């Protein structure tokens, strides 16, 4: 008898929750319609393709399809782990990501803090336009600019080197210069736009805090240190967590365009390697296994860093 009452009560609660949920949808249908395109996009282009991940564990044959292809388990993963260039590819990918993170991440914060301190609005808008503009240059144009400016025969950089008595350097072909060129060109192109998020966070800081600090005799550096930086700290932590979660996702297009046979030792990363074996050599299962390995590493890093941030600061991404 008691069990019957519990079941009825549980069923009643479920019906009530469902009814309340439907009422909430009807009451706020405009908001649900607003997010509907995003839900459809992610469902079609992000979640549905996960169905194809199974080919990483099969010897995929197009004629047999996903289900008909023979199962091989972790064979492709073992092949990648034991390949002669495994450590080179992983080292290049992680090294390039860490280099970009260490150099590029703080620069955007620094630029935002400096712009926030400019009192002349006209000059501030001019500087913002100058540093934002490179973001709208396409990657292929950026790499073309690098080839022109760094040309050993006609590039302005080598002309300056020769002017001071040095020998011209073929930057693009030297493996030792690849990471530096990749990172610095990325900083120049993306820092201005990345600083927009921090400027928005700075705009949300209560101006009365600065007024009180000025009344107490604080200079600009002290206000930046004790008001601005703590004020944007949650934003910094969120973006840092996202950056760590994408540590293994080095951009394919730019690395591929800058890549050549002479700098391959530094420029071969997971994304370009997947392109070579997956599309050029049509080894779909092998390339899918490499991509899945890359995604698992990113997911693990994201969860780990998020948990660390939650323990240290009490809040994270989720």
């Amino acid at each position: 008898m008691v069990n019957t009452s519990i079941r009825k009560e549980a069923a009643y609660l479920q019906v009530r929750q469902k009814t309340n949920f439907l009422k909430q949808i009807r009451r706020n249908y405009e908001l649900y319609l607003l997010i509907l395109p995003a839900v459809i996009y992610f469902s079609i282009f992000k979640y549905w393709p996960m169905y194809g991940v199974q080919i990483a564990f099969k010897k995929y044959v197009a004629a047999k399809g996903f289900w008909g292809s023979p199962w091989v388990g972790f064979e492709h993963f073992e092949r990648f782990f034991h390949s002669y260039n495994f450590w080179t590819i992983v080292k290049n990918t992680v090294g390039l990501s860490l280099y970009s993170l260490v150099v590029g991440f703080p620069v955007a914060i620094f630029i935002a803090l400096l712009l926030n301190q400019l009192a002349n609005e006209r000059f501030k808008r001019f500087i913002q336009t100058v540093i934002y503009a490179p973001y709208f240059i396409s990657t292929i144009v950026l790499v073309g600019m690098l080839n022109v400016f760094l040309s050993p025969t006609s590039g302005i950089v080598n002309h300056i080197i020769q002017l001071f008595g040095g020998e011209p350097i073929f930057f693009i072909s030297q493996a030792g210069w690849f990471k530096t060129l990749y990172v610095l060109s990325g900083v120049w192109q993306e820092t201005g736009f990345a600083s927009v998020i921090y400027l928005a966070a700075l705009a949300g800081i209560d101006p009365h805090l600065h007024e009180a600090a000025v009344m107490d005799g604080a200079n600009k550096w002290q206000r930046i240190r004790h008001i601005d930086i703590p004020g944007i700290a949650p934003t910094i932590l969120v973006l840092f967590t996202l950056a760590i979660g994408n540590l293994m996702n080095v951009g394919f297009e730019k690395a591929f365009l800058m890549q050549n046979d002479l700098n391959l030792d530094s420029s071969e990363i997971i994304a370009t390697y997947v392109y070579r074996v997956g599309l050029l050599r049509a080894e779909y299962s092998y390339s899918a296994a490499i991509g899945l390995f890359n995604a698992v590493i990113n997911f693990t890093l994201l969860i780990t860093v998020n948990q660390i941030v939650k323990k240290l600061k009490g809040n994270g991404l989720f």
Side-chain angles (χ1 to χ4, degrees), residues 55 72 100 152 209:
I55 69 172
V72 295
S100 300
L209 295 175

Side-chain angles (χ1 to χ4, degrees), residues 125-185:
R125 288 195 296 269
F126 171 75
I127 296 298
Q128 286 177 326
T129 302
V130 170
I131 64 175
Y132 292 170
Y135 181 80
F136 300 98
I137 298 175
S138 69
T139 304
I140 193 167
V141 172
L142 175 65
V143 176
M145 292 170 63
L146 288 175
N147 286 321
V148 171
F149 292 150
L150 301 176
S151 171
T153 56
S154 59
I156 187 173
V157 175
N158 276 302
H159 282 325
I160 295 174
I161 292 174
Q162 290 176 303
L163 184 65
F164 287 94
E167 294 293 327
I169 303 172
F170 199 174
F171 291 96
I172 300 298
S173 67
Q174 294 189 13
W177 280 100
F178 175 82
K179 289 185 174 66
T180 299
L181 294 177
Y182 184 98
V183 171
L184 294 184
S185 61

